[in-house]
Amino acid sequence: MKCAPWPEGKKLVHLDLKGAPPTVEYLHKLIELFSQLGVNGLLVEYEDMFPYEGELKLLQATTQPAYSPEEVLSMQEFAKSKGMEVIPLVQTFGHMEFLLKHQPLWSLREVPHCVGTLNPHKEEGVRLVMEMLRQVVALHPGLNTIHIGADEVYMLGEGEESKLWLASPGHTVEQLFLSHVTKVAKAIKEVWPYMTIIMWDDMMRGMSQDSLKASGLAGLVQPMLWDYTPNLDVDKTVSLLEKYWNAGISDLWAASSFKGSTTVHTCVPSTQRHVQNHLQWLKVAASLSAGINLKGIAITGWQRYDHLSVLCELMPVALPSLAACLQTLFHGEFSAEAQSKVTERLGISSVEMEAIERSPAVDSLFPGRRLAELIVELDSLVKSEDIRFFENNMFVRGWFSPYQRQRKMATPLITMQIHNQASNYLAMLQQKVEAVREEMVHLYPDSTAHEWIEEHVSPLMAPLQRITEDIEACMKEMVP
């Protein structure tokens, strides 16, 4: 069923820089493409890639250099030249891993074993949050909108100070959350009265309309309701947006996803899955009351589920998905015309990355295409059952089991066949890995290439390597 196109407003692409931060040159190419695809804003989540100074310098990444102030300004200027607003996202409550992982700041955690949640009772925590915001705002000339995060505030209320606070009559975890967010929002408004403040909505979903009204958040913040699933519940989502509206919060945002929301370790996204998510969001937009002001949609592209988790899909492999999702919003459906616009714009044969034919052409229409193709090839290889379950094949289990390896007693003829097969697989993987590494370092820091390979390929190469070494050691005992 065709819906109306997405309402007027911002179409933001989320740049999650807490993993695989693109080089500035590649960022500019991406921004150029985003502009051609109809994007008019960027939601930029810097985390440890922001050039924090002074007491916050310890927040900067150590595996690769953070962006310099000049690079941050260059990215903004280029985006603005393409008609895009840049909105920084600075976490202020949950997902504070990039701050709270540092030993000097451990005392600011809500509970010792939860690295992500800030203790809302410590004034030092609020002061550091405001200092982060001050430095980010200072490096974004003309900024008038900021996103303060506040999603997934795990273990809130479990800390000793929170338990004492909650022991007072009428105090609830909901109020604890609302009081911290309100405190931060009011502090922002005191320093920057003109600033529009966006925040994630998930911590407020279970709250009553009356609690939200009483919190004082109406007029202070604009909730961004996120749901990245292909089976998004339209009625439930509409009801949530209506609840916020009835609580006096009429300016609202949506957040969908084009990558980074399938599994924590996905390498190649399914375009159809993400398109389906946007089709559901179109139904939500078409069902809202007239009084709700849907300010726009952030199309998120998570690079990690959180600061300490593994890398999700890299940007190059997700560009067909992003283009398809945007065309879905523009057309109100993912029609043949929408698909055609994606394939023409990117110069590709299919909207699904895994089905795209290898092209010798320069990737001017599709920045990073060569890397995307190589990742798809390598991902297909590591997913093959012959490699993934090599240790479980009949010959390894029957003629070179752990028992036989330990005693160095095996049939030379069959074990040499196993050795040849494992060696061939290793050679194939190594060849693909080197091609990926060589291409990746043109677009990302060396540390990203190292991490991606260590996470996604090395665990499969290690058992093959062990088997070949064990066979060689065994043959010395068995063959003259």
Side-chain angles (χ1 to χ4, degrees):
M1 180 189 77
K2 181 175 181 178
C3 292
W6 187 261
E8 289 299 313
K10 288 291 179 184
K11 293 179 181 66
L12 310 174
V13 167
H14 173 229
L15 286 177
D16 182 10
L17 304 176
K18 65 177 175 278
T23 64
V24 173
E25 294 75 18
Y26 188 45
L27 263 180
H28 282 222
K29 289 180 181 178
L30 289 171
I31 291 168
E32 176 71 49
L33 176 64
F34 296 164
S35 172
Q36 294 171 7
L37 294 176
V39 174
N40 56 9
L42 298 176
L43 180 62
V44 185
E45 188 163 0
Y46 294 100
E47 281 211 359
D48 59 355
M49 287 305 294
F50 187 80
Y52 287 111
E53 298 176 339
E55 64 179 322
L56 296 181
K57 193 173 178 65
L58 86 165
L59 303 185
Q60 288 192 27
T62 54
T63 52
Q64 70 272 324
Y67 293 118
S68 68
E70 294 74 22
E71 288 172 332
V72 172
L73 289 168
S74 163
M75 181 269 289
Q76 291 173 70
E77 287 163 9
F78 189 68
K80 287 174 185 175
S81 76
K82 299 297 176 182
M84 291 186 209
E85 179 182 5
V86 175
I87 300 174
L89 191 162
V90 181
Q91 288 285 2
T92 59
F93 205 175
H95 283 303
M96 298 285 281
E97 294 92 350
F98 74 103
L99 183 138
L100 297 174
K101 72 178 183 180
H102 297 284
Q103 189 168 1
L105 304 175
W106 285 1
S107 63
L108 299 180
R109 298 177 186 177
E110 169 71 341
V111 291
H113 59 279
C114 180
V115 188
T117 297
L118 190 71
N119 182 332
H121 306 281
K122 291 192 182 292
E123 287 303 319
E124 176 65 5
V126 176
R127 190 189 68 77
L128 283 177
V129 162
M130 290 305 296
E131 178 59 19
M132 283 196 300
L133 290 166
R134 186 193 67 75
Q135 293 194 25
V136 169
V137 173
L139 205 53
H140 288 75
L143 184 70
N144 55 32
T145 304
I146 198 159
H147 195 308
I148 61 169
D151 61 318
E152 298 182 332
V153 187
Y154 300 130
M155 307 299 292
L156 183 61
E158 297 296 318
E160 292 306 315
E161 288 169 278
S162 289
K163 286 177 180 176
L164 281 173
W165 188 88
L166 290 168
S168 297
H171 283 191
T172 65
V173 174
E174 288 183 359
Q175 288 173 334
L176 185 57
F177 173 81
L178 292 169
S179 64
H180 177 79
V181 171
T182 304
K183 182 190 292 185
V184 170
K186 284 180 176 176
I188 291 170
K189 289 288 191 181
E190 282 177 18
V191 183
W192 306 285
Y194 54 85
M195 193 71 73
T196 296
I197 304 169
I198 303 172
M199 65 176 283
W200 299 119
D201 85 300
D202 55 287
M203 294 296 292
M204 303 188 291
R205 290 178 191 174
M207 297 183 189
S208 70
Q209 194 173 296
D210 290 340
S211 294
L212 291 169
K213 266 185 181 176
S215 70
L217 280 180
L220 268 182
V221 300
Q222 298 179 356
M224 181 176 274
L225 201 159
W226 58 272
D227 193 317
Y228 312 141
T229 57
N231 58 347
L232 179 158
D233 188 321
V234 173
D235 292 339
K236 186 177 176 181
T237 306
V238 170
S239 294
L240 263 176
L241 289 163
E242 300 272 359
K243 179 178 75 174
Y244 298 145
W245 178 49
N246 288 324
I249 307 171
S250 57
D251 291 334
L252 297 160
W253 294 76
S256 57
S257 172
F258 73 97
K259 79 177 188 80
S261 59
T262 305
T263 65
V264 71
H265 50 73
T266 300
C267 286
V268 182
S270 159
T271 294
Q272 188 53 51
R273 174 190 171 87
H274 295 291
V275 163
Q276 188 60 40
N277 174 240
H278 287 77
L279 291 171
Q280 296 299 93
W281 270 114
L282 283 167
K283 293 176 187 175
V284 170
S287 306
L288 293 177
S289 300
I292 293 179
N293 181 18
L294 202 55
K295 302 280 288 182
I297 185 168
I299 308 171
T300 64
W302 299 98
Q303 196 50 76
R304 301 185 193 275
Y305 274 34
D306 66 43
H307 182 79
L308 299 172
S309 66
V310 301
L311 294 170
C312 305
E313 310 96 304
L314 298 181
M315 185 65 81
V317 294
L319 291 177
S321 171
L322 174 61
C325 292
L326 283 161
Q327 284 300 320
T328 300
L329 294 178
F330 290 132
H331 285 80
E333 61 178 342
F334 195 46
S335 59
E337 182 186 358
Q339 292 188 51
S340 177
K341 284 189 179 294
V342 173
T343 54
E344 287 173 19
R345 175 69 70 184
L346 295 182
I348 53 181
S349 55
S350 169
V351 297
E352 292 290 352
M353 191 66 233
E354 289 175 324
I356 292 174
E357 296 171 7
R358 174 76 81 85
S359 169
V362 177
D363 63 4
S364 57
L365 296 171
F366 183 163
R369 175 170 181 167
R370 175 68 179 142
L371 176 59
E373 290 173 342
L374 289 168
I375 285 175
V376 168
E377 290 175 10
L378 182 53
D379 186 56
S380 176
L381 190 58
V382 299
K383 281 180 178 173
S384 68
E385 290 197 2
D386 287 346
I387 289 179
R388 188 168 286 275
F389 303 110
F390 186 80
E391 290 181 289
N392 288 330
N393 78 36
M394 181 183 76
F395 294 102
V396 176
R397 293 192 67 175
W399 282 271
F400 204 57
S401 69
Y403 180 89
Q404 292 162 318
R405 287 189 218 185
Q406 187 179 12
R407 287 158 181 76
K408 293 186 172 57
M409 291 294 293
T411 305
L413 185 63
I414 295 179
T415 49
M416 288 311 296
Q417 290 176 349
I418 296 170
H419 184 279
N420 290 341
Q421 194 173 33
S423 297
N424 286 339
Y425 287 147
L426 277 170
M428 287 166 56
L429 284 167
Q430 195 58 50
Q431 183 182 23
K432 297 288 185 188
V433 162
E434 288 310 313
V436 165
R437 189 196 311 273
E438 186 177 331
E439 197 64 31
M440 199 178 289
V441 295
H442 294 312
L443 310 181
Y444 295 101
D446 290 349
S447 58
T448 294
H450 178 77
E451 180 183 353
W452 191 92
I453 291 163
E454 284 293 304
E455 286 173 353
H456 295 292
V457 188
S458 296
L460 287 167
M461 294 179 76
L464 294 171
Q465 189 68 48
R466 279 196 301 271
I467 282 178
T468 59
E469 291 169 357
D470 287 351
I471 289 174
E472 288 162 11
C474 186
M475 289 305 95
K476 287 178 183 177
E477 305 284 336
M478 298 287 296
V479 179

